[in-house]
Amino acid sequence: VITDQNVNKLYHHDLQRYPLIEFAAGEEHKTLETVEFIYHRLLELGADRSSFLVGVGGGVVCDITGYAAATYMRGLDFGYVATTLLAQVDASVGGKTAVNFHGFKNMVGVFNQPRFVLCDIDLLKTLPREDIINGLAEVTKHALIGDSDLFHDLEAQPRKILDLDRKLLEDTIERSLRVKIGIVEKDEREVRERRWLNFGHTFGHALESLAGLPHGRAVSWGMKLAVQVSVRKGRLQEDVAARILRLLEVMGLLPDVHCDASQLKKAVRTDKKKTGDALKFVLLQSIGRPVVEDIPLVELESLIDDLC
Ligand SMILES: NC(=O)c1ccc[n+]([C@@H]2O[C@H](COP(=O)([O-])OP(=O)(O)OC[C@H]3O[C@@H](n4cnc5c(N)ncnc54)[C@H](O)[C@@H]3O)[C@@H](O)[C@H]2O)c1
């Protein structure tokens, strides 16, 4: 079992019966150094190609476990027990694994599918409210790119899910997963539809690294900027944009953040979606209808100047 210190503290009683590898919690530990530490521990524990790794934790644990499993001895089987809302609705599913490198998000990684993903809603009872809110960012993203009914339901009772109503959570996680799974099944390697899942992530990843925001809130800011770009490019109506921004605001997903245009531009230039002098950017045409457009970097930079 591979987990982080917080999860191990909370669930040690259940985890201690397995050979255990624990690392310090937090995005700053999603690095090659942590992966190297895991390789050392696997060697110490005598892991071989018949070993099975189970990542028990949030998105950070899932991403690191998947990457370590893909590379140790050219690949071990693995599964995830997702313990945050964000991991349950997004990070554990789809087979993307990666670590950050020199301050750049998810720079080193592979596609690698787990054998199973377990999403047990009871595990969310110990999750701080802040992290439930973070998870709602990816739920909202899935609604915006693929399920307008889910968006309307979130809009109707934006904060009810924070009470951890079991039925509502179960329903929301399932609908959110259906959007992601539907897209990944069509395009596992992100050459067409899977690009939609990057909605809000160009600016989101940049802000996650620059402003130190948690992933969910960074993506929410990224979605806010992407919605504004969609309006400026004439793709999205202003009243629809206003509804989206209102929902993000009401859910507490847009904390005050200092947006430094020059740093943001620099970060966007290293985005993985860049090809030549343009960037594949996900815009919205309406709720549930994303579109990918090649936006020249110079145009994106002038939009950043305007929006910041
Ligand atoms: N691979 C993908 O497709 C994908 C998709 C989305 C996000 N991600 C990645 O996921 C990461 C963010 O995931 P996250 O928000 O889960 O962050 P996280 O893994 O850092 O977890 C957030 C915090 O919650 C703690 N925690 C986890 N489970 C808990 C529980 N049940 N009770 C109490 N505390 C608990 C963790 O120790 C941590 O402190 C980012 O690195 C992001 O890049 C990956």
Side-chain angles (χ1 to χ4, degrees):
V1 163
I2 299 181
T3 190
D4 72 24
Q5 273 169 355
N6 295 342
V7 176
N8 192 23
K9 212 178 278 169
L10 288 164
Y11 297 99
H12 189 68
H13 176 73
D14 300 302
L15 299 180
Q16 64 176 348
R17 69 184 92 155
Y18 304 102
L20 193 68
I21 300 177
E22 175 205 88
F23 62 87
E27 182 70 27
E28 65 275 27
H29 298 289
K30 201 174 103 170
T31 58
L32 284 173
E33 287 74 29
T34 303
V35 175
E36 196 180 339
F37 164 75
I38 290 171
Y39 295 151
H40 278 297
R41 289 283 293 127
L42 287 170
L43 279 172
E44 275 170 20
L45 291 165
D48 59 30
R49 293 189 79 176
S50 69
S51 302
F52 192 103
L53 305 186
V54 182
V56 182
V60 169
V61 169
C62 294
D63 277 358
I64 289 195
T65 303
Y67 183 73
T71 45
Y72 184 76
M73 292 191 176
R74 296 204 183 91
L76 307 183
D77 281 342
F78 69 105
Y80 295 140
V81 177
T83 64
T84 63
L85 180 59
L86 192 141
Q88 294 193 355
V89 298
D90 195 1
S92 62
V93 171
K96 274 190 180 179
T97 75
V99 294
N100 306 328
F101 185 69
H102 281 230
F104 296 112
K105 271 289 290 181
N106 299 336
M107 264 296 163
V108 181
V110 291
F111 287 92
N112 195 21
Q113 293 290 353
R115 291 281 166 181
F116 72 84
V117 174
L118 200 144
C119 300
D120 181 345
I121 289 167
D122 284 338
L123 292 169
L124 303 181
K125 285 183 186 151
T126 54
L127 194 64
R129 197 176 168 84
E130 289 299 291
D131 283 297
I132 298 287
I133 296 175
N134 276 321
L136 287 177
E138 299 286 11
V139 171
T140 307
K141 180 192 78 180
H142 290 153
L144 287 173
I145 62 168
D147 186 345
S148 54
D149 289 343
L150 178 57
F151 182 85
H152 294 139
D153 289 349
L154 291 170
E155 215 179 12
Q157 42 187 5
R159 296 192 72 84
K160 195 170 169 214
I161 201 162
L162 291 173
D163 300 336
L164 297 189
D165 175 274
R166 197 185 167 88
K167 179 80 198 62
L168 184 65
L169 259 181
E170 222 166 59
D171 179 63
T172 306
I173 292 171
E174 187 180 329
R175 290 164 77 187
S176 188
L177 279 172
R178 277 190 198 287
V179 173
K180 176 146 188 188
I181 291 167
I183 291 173
V184 173
E185 277 180 352
K186 282 192 202 143
D187 172 27
E188 189 183 355
R189 293 292 166 134
E190 198 174 303
V191 286
R192 295 179 312 276
E193 295 90 340
R194 189 166 185 167
R195 292 198 171 120
W196 299 340
L197 289 164
N198 294 326
F199 178 62
H201 281 61
T202 295
F203 293 132
H205 278 167
L207 287 168
E208 191 173 352
S209 307
L210 295 173
L213 288 179
H215 186 77
R217 282 172 164 88
V219 167
S220 298
W221 265 101
M223 289 195 285
K224 174 175 173 166
L225 293 172
V227 160
Q228 290 170 329
V229 174
S230 304
V231 172
R232 282 177 188 238
K233 302 270 304 168
R235 294 279 195 169
L236 186 68
Q237 289 178 351
E238 278 192 37
D239 58 330
V240 181
R243 274 173 61 200
I244 297 169
L245 301 192
R246 200 174 315 123
L247 178 62
L248 293 172
E249 193 76 59
V250 170
M251 288 198 295
L253 278 163
L254 296 174
D256 283 344
V257 62
H258 174 63
C259 175
D260 180 326
S262 64
Q263 282 189 312
L264 202 51
K265 285 190 273 190
K266 198 170 151 206
V268 163
R269 283 195 166 269
T270 60
D271 192 285
K272 293 186 289 301
K273 277 93 66 191
K274 183 170 80 78
T275 43
D277 288 334
L279 201 134
K280 296 219 172 292
F281 197 88
V282 190
L283 301 169
L284 272 192
Q285 306 183 89
S286 60
I287 292 164
R289 277 185 64 218
V291 61
V292 178
E293 197 173 300
D294 281 316
I295 303 190
L297 281 174
V298 280
E299 184 181 345
L300 209 53
E301 289 183 350
S302 103
L303 284 165
I304 290 173
D305 280 330
D306 285 355
L307 294 172
C308 285

